[in-house]
Amino acid sequence: MATTIPQARTAAGEEIIQCLGVHKWYGEFHVLRDINLSVTKGERIVICGPSGSGKSTLIRCLNRLEEHQKGSIVIDGIELTGNLKNIELVRREVGMVFQHFNLFPHLTVLENCTLAPIWVRKKPRAEAEATAMKYLERVRIADQARKYPGQLSGGQQQRVAIARSLCMSPKIMLFDEPTSALDPEMVKEVLDVMVTLAQSGMTMLCVTHEMGFAKSVADRVIFMDRGEIVEQAPPEEFFANPKSDRTKLFLSQILNH
Amino acid sequence: MAGHVDTASSTAAERPPALSLGPIGWMRANLFNTWYNAILTVLIGWAILMIVPPLFRWAIVNAAGFDATSPQCRQATGACWAFVNEKMRFILFGTFPYAEQWRPLLATAIIVATLAAAANRRFWKPWFVAVSLGALALFGVLMWGGVLGMTYVENSLWGGLPLTLILSVIGLSVAFPFSILLALGRRSTMPAIKAICVAYIELIRGVPLVSLLFMASVMLPLFLPTGVNIDKLLRALVAFILFEAAYMAEAIRGGLQAMPKGQYEAADALGLNYWQAMRKIILPQALAISIPPLVNTFISTFKDTSLVIIIGLYDLLGTAKAALSDPAWRGFYREAYLFIGVIYWCFCFSMSKYSRWLEQDLNRGHKR
């Protein structure tokens, strides 16, 4: 089993995510149209766009929470197909943070963080707990390790969710609108953690409306509309000099409110 | 602190009027707060007055003593507790050889003690399964005997409380894991598995338990080759397991459906495989949600075991009926049924109480 895990096929600067001609339909509804995207190791990407533009669906395809119907997606050298073994291998290497945190309410914060390392990575409990405490420390919530998620605020829960993903030592982190469900005063504490993570060299794809975050840490901003990637550029260029009309319209709506 | 005391001891003018305080206030608030509640209170008070004193006279004042003889009992206008006293061992242990009845008594005590221990969450560990199997083996040894100088007692002679207990305990503990698989199967994305589970559940839920018991005891032997004979008790058990599993599966399915999609997605995103996700994330939460309907099934199963009388097994209800057929003591129905009713009630009420405690205990700390 262990021998089949591809060990770090990609070095820094190499391609870690590759989408070629990806299409997806929900019934008749064409939600992703001909997505071509390649991400190199260590790159930080922000995906934005109006609601219903397919941005969440796109990153959910990257760990196969959603199935694409045409084209190919290769993550760290493994192509995502119906093969369950491959899907599980990819999911080990790809962390995901959800809009609604999705912490396990029947487990303590610490147990939330150690569950997957113990059961999926087969780590000894003591080692998993030490790693978990390290990451909980990093998201500044270690003092709440013995509490249940329901006893924490939204911002705290989202930071635990980030730590939980990091405990699997993922190569890629996906963020699906991580601050959208938070009360305004809690957005910053979560963004701060994400900025720190971005500075550590993690490959990140974030679906977010936080344009400040995009400006300060993103290497590339991708704008999606109606299932297509309309435009992608480094943030300075993207915000100062958007090319398509759809991007301009979107930016004017989101920056002016 | 001083300020607190000051506000607490208010002057007479600040105190609520006397009519809303004390027992009178309580009655006004709870018994006579509306005109229809007042009527209900009066009616129920009247009913209590009509029922309780005669019951008290029958059960205690006019009752014949515990050692009364049958003719003495017939002369008394009250209850004949001597009947229960005389027949208690038969009702509890059935036709088990009289001199050996310490064995079913001990076996029953072992089962009850194991159940009490299983109720404690500290024992919810894999090793406790081994302990429970050990207790069950001990039950078998005591009941069957044939070793350690105990005479062999074939299980057609078992009856009464140990039979009721063993039918419920084995029935439910085998049906429970089976029902989890059925519930998961019914929600499976694999069409064949889903179809089989749906068909099974709907088929079993469509027939009465009585007909399943009949089928197990009368029809099954017709299909078996001559010479092959499955024990009657085992056949009844199989019928119970098949029946209860279908009902419990539906209770558990309700819990599974109440789980938010995000829990499945988070488990998937962390790389847990299907069985890990079910075992560690989904089932612990879904089963906690399913406790009320599951306990409902447990309680009705415990009482439904009395249906085995139709295939000639004598459970608690069966032995009570048999005790009544003794010509010397014929006619003391009320005493017999009251006695076993109390036993059934004790078991069922404990289950009900325990489930409420467990629900609260499982929810503590992690309310959403």
Side-chain angles (χ1 to χ4, degrees), chain A residues 29 35 37 39 68 77 93 96 127 140 233:
Chain A
F29 181 59
I35 300 289
L37 173 70
V39 179
H68 60 284
E93 308 301 334
M96 186 166 215
E127 189 190 328
R140 296 189 303 282

PDB file of all heavy atoms in Angstrom, chain A residues 29 35 37 39 68 77 93 96 127 140 233:
ATOM      1  N   PHE A  29     -27.734  21.756 -16.697  1.00  0.00           N
ATOM      2  CA  PHE A  29     -27.045  23.014 -16.420  1.00  0.00           C
ATOM      3  C   PHE A  29     -25.531  22.848 -16.555  1.00  0.00           C
ATOM      4  O   PHE A  29     -24.916  22.031 -15.866  1.00  0.00           O
ATOM      5  CB  PHE A  29     -27.425  23.488 -15.006  1.00  0.00           C
ATOM      6  CG  PHE A  29     -26.785  24.785 -14.619  1.00  0.00           C
ATOM      7  CD1 PHE A  29     -27.001  25.931 -15.366  1.00  0.00           C
ATOM      8  CD2 PHE A  29     -25.962  24.859 -13.492  1.00  0.00           C
ATOM      9  CE1 PHE A  29     -26.414  27.125 -15.010  1.00  0.00           C
ATOM     10  CE2 PHE A  29     -25.365  26.049 -13.126  1.00  0.00           C
ATOM     11  CZ  PHE A  29     -25.597  27.185 -13.889  1.00  0.00           C
ATOM     12  N   ILE A  35     -12.582  24.218 -18.605  1.00  0.00           N
ATOM     13  CA  ILE A  35     -11.651  24.823 -17.658  1.00  0.00           C
ATOM     14  C   ILE A  35     -10.241  24.298 -17.929  1.00  0.00           C
ATOM     15  O   ILE A  35     -10.010  23.090 -17.920  1.00  0.00           O
ATOM     16  CB  ILE A  35     -12.045  24.461 -16.203  1.00  0.00           C
ATOM     17  CG1 ILE A  35     -13.456  24.966 -15.871  1.00  0.00           C
ATOM     18  CG2 ILE A  35     -11.010  25.004 -15.215  1.00  0.00           C
ATOM     19  CD1 ILE A  35     -13.587  26.457 -15.740  1.00  0.00           C
ATOM     20  N   LEU A  37      -6.509  24.889 -16.382  1.00  0.00           N
ATOM     21  CA  LEU A  37      -5.873  25.579 -15.262  1.00  0.00           C
ATOM     22  C   LEU A  37      -4.654  24.780 -14.859  1.00  0.00           C
ATOM     23  O   LEU A  37      -4.726  23.559 -14.726  1.00  0.00           O
ATOM     24  CB  LEU A  37      -6.862  25.660 -14.088  1.00  0.00           C
ATOM     25  CG  LEU A  37      -6.329  26.200 -12.760  1.00  0.00           C
ATOM     26  CD1 LEU A  37      -6.053  27.686 -12.872  1.00  0.00           C
ATOM     27  CD2 LEU A  37      -7.330  25.939 -11.642  1.00  0.00           C
ATOM     28  N   VAL A  39      -1.522  24.873 -11.920  1.00  0.00           N
ATOM     29  CA  VAL A  39      -1.041  25.526 -10.717  1.00  0.00           C
ATOM     30  C   VAL A  39       0.309  24.927 -10.377  1.00  0.00           C
ATOM     31  O   VAL A  39       0.471  23.704 -10.402  1.00  0.00           O
ATOM     32  CB  VAL A  39      -2.022  25.293  -9.544  1.00  0.00           C
ATOM     33  CG1 VAL A  39      -1.519  25.960  -8.279  1.00  0.00           C
ATOM     34  CG2 VAL A  39      -3.412  25.793  -9.895  1.00  0.00           C
ATOM     35  N   HIS A  68     -16.219  15.538 -12.320  1.00  0.00           N
ATOM     36  CA  HIS A  68     -16.307  16.226 -13.613  1.00  0.00           C
ATOM     37  C   HIS A  68     -16.642  15.180 -14.669  1.00  0.00           C
ATOM     38  O   HIS A  68     -16.342  13.997 -14.502  1.00  0.00           O
ATOM     39  CB  HIS A  68     -14.995  16.944 -13.947  1.00  0.00           C
ATOM     40  CG  HIS A  68     -13.808  16.035 -14.038  1.00  0.00           C
ATOM     41  ND1 HIS A  68     -13.184  15.520 -12.935  1.00  0.00           N
ATOM     42  CD2 HIS A  68     -13.154  15.514 -15.112  1.00  0.00           C
ATOM     43  CE1 HIS A  68     -12.185  14.747 -13.317  1.00  0.00           C
ATOM     44  NE2 HIS A  68     -12.149  14.724 -14.628  1.00  0.00           N
ATOM     45  N   GLY A  77       0.366  14.374  -9.916  1.00  0.00           N
ATOM     46  CA  GLY A  77       0.711  13.183 -10.695  1.00  0.00           C
ATOM     47  C   GLY A  77      -0.342  12.093 -10.693  1.00  0.00           C
ATOM     48  O   GLY A  77      -0.152  11.050 -11.312  1.00  0.00           O
ATOM     49  N   GLU A  93      -3.692  14.277   0.294  1.00  0.00           N
ATOM     50  CA  GLU A  93      -2.701  15.327   0.021  1.00  0.00           C
ATOM     51  C   GLU A  93      -3.348  16.688  -0.172  1.00  0.00           C
ATOM     52  O   GLU A  93      -2.644  17.672  -0.350  1.00  0.00           O
ATOM     53  CB  GLU A  93      -1.889  14.968  -1.235  1.00  0.00           C
ATOM     54  CG  GLU A  93      -1.279  13.576  -1.212  1.00  0.00           C
ATOM     55  CD  GLU A  93      -0.329  13.364  -0.043  1.00  0.00           C
ATOM     56  OE1 GLU A  93       0.240  14.356   0.440  1.00  0.00           O
ATOM     57  OE2 GLU A  93      -0.184  12.209   0.381  1.00  0.00           O
ATOM     58  N   MET A  96      -9.043  20.654   2.773  1.00  0.00           N
ATOM     59  CA  MET A  96     -10.120  21.542   2.362  1.00  0.00           C
ATOM     60  C   MET A  96     -10.767  22.211   3.570  1.00  0.00           C
ATOM     61  O   MET A  96     -10.992  21.583   4.600  1.00  0.00           O
ATOM     62  CB  MET A  96     -11.189  20.784   1.598  1.00  0.00           C
ATOM     63  CG  MET A  96     -12.252  21.707   1.026  1.00  0.00           C
ATOM     64  SD  MET A  96     -13.267  20.864  -0.175  1.00  0.00           S
ATOM     65  CE  MET A  96     -13.597  22.147  -1.344  1.00  0.00           C
ATOM     66  N   GLU A 127       1.881  10.776  18.670  1.00  0.00           N
ATOM     67  CA  GLU A 127       2.479  11.617  17.629  1.00  0.00           C
ATOM     68  C   GLU A 127       1.420  12.513  16.988  1.00  0.00           C
ATOM     69  O   GLU A 127       1.640  13.722  16.778  1.00  0.00           O
ATOM     70  CB  GLU A 127       3.118  10.706  16.575  1.00  0.00           C
ATOM     71  CG  GLU A 127       3.965  11.441  15.562  1.00  0.00           C
ATOM     72  CD  GLU A 127       4.364  10.521  14.411  1.00  0.00           C
ATOM     73  OE1 GLU A 127       4.533   9.308  14.635  1.00  0.00           O
ATOM     74  OE2 GLU A 127       4.494  11.036  13.279  1.00  0.00           O
ATOM     75  N   ARG A 140      -3.464  29.587  17.012  1.00  0.00           N
ATOM     76  CA  ARG A 140      -3.700  30.274  18.291  1.00  0.00           C
ATOM     77  C   ARG A 140      -5.005  29.853  18.968  1.00  0.00           C
ATOM     78  O   ARG A 140      -5.807  30.670  19.382  1.00  0.00           O
ATOM     79  CB  ARG A 140      -3.692  31.795  18.064  1.00  0.00           C
ATOM     80  CG  ARG A 140      -2.318  32.300  17.600  1.00  0.00           C
ATOM     81  CD  ARG A 140      -2.253  33.794  17.581  1.00  0.00           C
ATOM     82  NE  ARG A 140      -3.284  34.382  16.752  1.00  0.00           N
ATOM     83  CZ  ARG A 140      -3.222  34.438  15.423  1.00  0.00           C
ATOM     84  NH1 ARG A 140      -2.167  33.934  14.775  1.00  0.00           N
ATOM     85  NH2 ARG A 140      -4.187  34.987  14.735  1.00  0.00           N
ATOM     86  N   ALA A 233      -4.802  36.815 -13.811  1.00  0.00           N
ATOM     87  CA  ALA A 233      -3.656  37.725 -13.841  1.00  0.00           C
ATOM     88  C   ALA A 233      -3.121  37.895 -12.427  1.00  0.00           C
ATOM     89  O   ALA A 233      -3.824  37.621 -11.465  1.00  0.00           O
ATOM     90  CB  ALA A 233      -4.100  39.076 -14.391  1.00  0.00           C
TER      91      ALA A 233
END
